[in-house]
Amino acid sequence: MNTINGNCLCGAIHYSSQLAPLSVAVCHCSDCQKQSGSAFSVNLLVPAEGFVVEGTSLGCYTKAGGSGLPVKRYFCAGCGSALYSEVATMPGVLAVKAGTLANPASVTPNLHLWCSAAQPWVVIDRTLPCFEQTPV
Ligand SMILES: [Zn+2]
Ligand SMILES: [Zn+2]
């Protein structure tokens, strides 16, 4: 049974995994703000092993992240939905955009990254672990 199921806005790309997410991180970095068109992205950290992507319209854009190492951002080239990222500082782990899950309510964020770049009107739950940048 799949633990993780999701798709892009147009439905051309579907992803799944039988492995549970390692954690759920809210990232306030400026690149996530740009890519999501929002104030932050909510990322499931998922083992790359066993992550299955189906569909032919997968696009990829690579840019150095805050660490200076590359972040490969995958999206649907048909509808533009941001789907997941491969972050060089986290080998073997993918950051999957929680808003693309079939059931986003099934996950709850448990840490915040790049709080130093958060918009002033975003309310951060400071009872959770909060990193000014990234822990790695
Ligand atoms: Zn799409
Ligand atoms: Zn980010």
Side-chain angles (χ1 to χ4, degrees), residues 48-134:
E49 187 185 19
F51 187 76
V52 178
V53 180
E54 294 158 277
T56 56
S57 58
L58 194 64
C60 181
Y61 173 72
T62 304
K63 179 182 181 293
S67 67
L69 292 173
V71 177
K72 295 170 93 170
R73 293 173 176 274
Y74 292 89
F75 55 92
C76 173
C79 67
S81 301
L83 293 168
Y84 64 97
S85 303
E86 255 179 68
V87 186
T89 53
M90 299 189 304
V93 176
L94 299 175
V96 179
K97 306 287 186 189
T100 63
L101 289 171
N103 180 16
S106 65
V107 299
T108 304
N110 57 15
L111 69 126
H112 288 263
L113 304 176
W114 287 97
C115 294
S116 59
Q119 293 303 318
W121 38 265
V122 169
V123 179
I124 295 173
D125 181 354
R126 294 279 176 184
T127 65
L128 297 174
C130 293
F131 297 90
E132 288 307 299
Q133 299 187 349
T134 55

Side-chain angles (χ1 to χ4, degrees), residues 27-33 41 43 73 114:
C27 186
H28 301 270
C29 84
S30 52
D31 284 5
C32 280
Q33 293 185 32
S41 64
N43 295 314
R73 293 173 176 274
W114 287 97

